[in-house]
Amino acid sequence: MSDHDKVFAGSIPKFYDSYMVPLIFAGYAEDMAERVAALKPAAVLETAAGSGVVTRALAARLAPEARYVVTDLNQPMLDHAAQRQGADARITWRQADALAVPFDDASFDVACCQFGAMFFPDRVAGYREARRVLKPGGHFVFNVWDRIEDNVFADDVTNALAGMFPADPPRFLARTPHGYHDAVLIRDDLEKAGFSDITIETRSEQSRAPSAHHVALSYCQGTPLRNEIESRGSLQEATEHAAAALAKRHGPGEVAAKIQALVVTAMN
């Protein structure tokens, strides 16, 4: 994974929250919030919180006396999330690396992470750190995207950009968001970190958008794919190229296609 894959700065947080969240993240955030809330935790740690889509869904479900610590490696994303959430005395916002969170051992009942583990440079270390801060019997709940071929819009955009930049195709989507989908490997990494009672569930949904251009704008300008495109050529031209390819396959009006992820729960 390139260091650029972790850079969510500049205008990316705004585009990410406005476009990517409703396109692919919102449904999975509701699912994660329901899973975590069902455990009735008194203390929750969220890592790699991004623009706060899980935070908003989960805070509404937690008890009034619950303690909720929300972290992300990228301060601009965390600032955006805090602004969207508004005042909530239960929530503490903290910039932190998921591989080295600044919290005591056995501090939380649940640790959760939505679509962040793919970005961990050392996943076993990240899982070990989640386990360290969990109380005995605590739960680690996270999800990762399945292979890019099962996430149609991401695959379409990747293929379209490969046609535009054949000598050096931008591969961020395939390399990182969709690069950690082997359930056997995920289970093995969790076991190496000391987790037991691991469940891995495949969950498919429909990604919907008002137009193909909306999808292209989401992926090309609302993710670190933007950084790869801008290093090769015009962001606007690439966005329009991807939009044309999407419209050719899915039509000019409202569009919908399959997205798929793995939802993982492990007990300390």
Side-chain angles (χ1 to χ4, degrees), residues 41-45 62-63 65-69 90-92 103 107-108 135:
V44 178
L45 171 65
L62 292 178
E65 66 275 10
R67 179 170 63 93
Y68 190 4
V69 180
R90 300 170 302 168
I91 300 177
T92 300
F103 308 114
S107 299
F108 300 95
K135 298 174 183 178

Side-chain angles (χ1 to χ4, degrees), residues 32 35-36 39 108-113 126-128 130-132 134-143 180 186-201 262-268:
M32 177 166 288
R35 292 170 189 264
V36 172
L39 298 170
F108 300 95
D109 302 297
V110 176
C112 64
C113 181
Y127 298 160
R128 190 176 291 121
R131 182 171 178 265
R132 179 186 68 79
L134 282 173
K135 298 174 183 178
H139 293 80
F140 181 31
V141 184
F142 69 97
N143 50 24
Y180 185 56
I186 294 168
R187 184 179 297 275
D188 184 60
D189 286 346
L190 285 164
E191 290 175 347
K192 287 178 180 176
F195 280 103
S196 61
D197 195 10
I198 300 161
T199 62
I200 302 177
E201 172 189 336
L262 305 180
V263 182
V264 185
T265 301
M267 183 180 292
N268 187 10

Side-chain angles (χ1 to χ4, degrees), residues 23-143:
L23 183 67
I24 62 174
F25 292 119
Y28 287 101
E30 291 293 325
D31 175 70
M32 177 166 288
E34 289 179 4
R35 292 170 189 264
V36 172
L39 298 170
K40 301 187 183 304
V44 178
L45 171 65
E46 183 181 353
T47 58
S51 64
V53 60
V54 170
T55 312
R56 294 190 290 275
L58 180 53
R61 292 171 167 85
L62 292 178
E65 66 275 10
R67 179 170 63 93
Y68 190 4
V69 180
V70 181
T71 70
D72 195 89
L73 181 63
N74 292 274
Q75 189 64 49
M77 291 290 273
L78 202 62
D79 291 342
H80 186 89
Q83 184 178 32
R84 283 290 312 273
Q85 180 66 32
D88 189 327
R90 300 170 302 168
I91 300 177
T92 300
W93 304 91
R94 183 77 175 266
Q95 183 181 17
D97 186 338
L99 274 64
V101 292
F103 308 114
D104 293 337
D105 296 358
S107 299
F108 300 95
D109 302 297
V110 176
C112 64
C113 181
Q114 166 141 294
F115 299 118
M118 309 90 71
F119 293 87
F120 294 175
D122 184 337
R123 297 184 184 103
V124 174
Y127 298 160
R128 190 176 291 121
E129 187 71 347
R131 182 171 178 265
R132 179 186 68 79
V133 300
L134 282 173
K135 298 174 183 178
H139 293 80
F140 181 31
V141 184
F142 69 97
N143 50 24

Side-chain angles (χ1 to χ4, degrees), residues 117-213:
M118 309 90 71
F119 293 87
F120 294 175
D122 184 337
R123 297 184 184 103
V124 174
Y127 298 160
R128 190 176 291 121
E129 187 71 347
R131 182 171 178 265
R132 179 186 68 79
V133 300
L134 282 173
K135 298 174 183 178
H139 293 80
F140 181 31
V141 184
F142 69 97
N143 50 24
V144 296
W145 291 116
D146 208 339
R147 62 185 194 136
I148 196 167
E149 291 82 2
D150 286 315
N151 289 268
V152 175
F153 287 150
D155 197 34
D156 288 344
V157 169
T158 298
N159 292 334
L161 294 178
M164 185 174 181
F165 302 104
D168 187 16
R171 296 288 296 169
F172 164 73
L173 295 175
R175 180 179 63 250
T176 301
H178 298 282
Y180 185 56
H181 53 75
D182 184 334
V184 174
L185 175 60
I186 294 168
R187 184 179 297 275
D188 184 60
D189 286 346
L190 285 164
E191 290 175 347
K192 287 178 180 176
F195 280 103
S196 61
D197 195 10
I198 300 161
T199 62
I200 302 177
E201 172 189 336
T202 300
R203 184 178 179 89
S204 299
E205 295 197 11
Q206 283 285 297
S207 179
R208 302 180 185 279
S211 67
H213 185 266

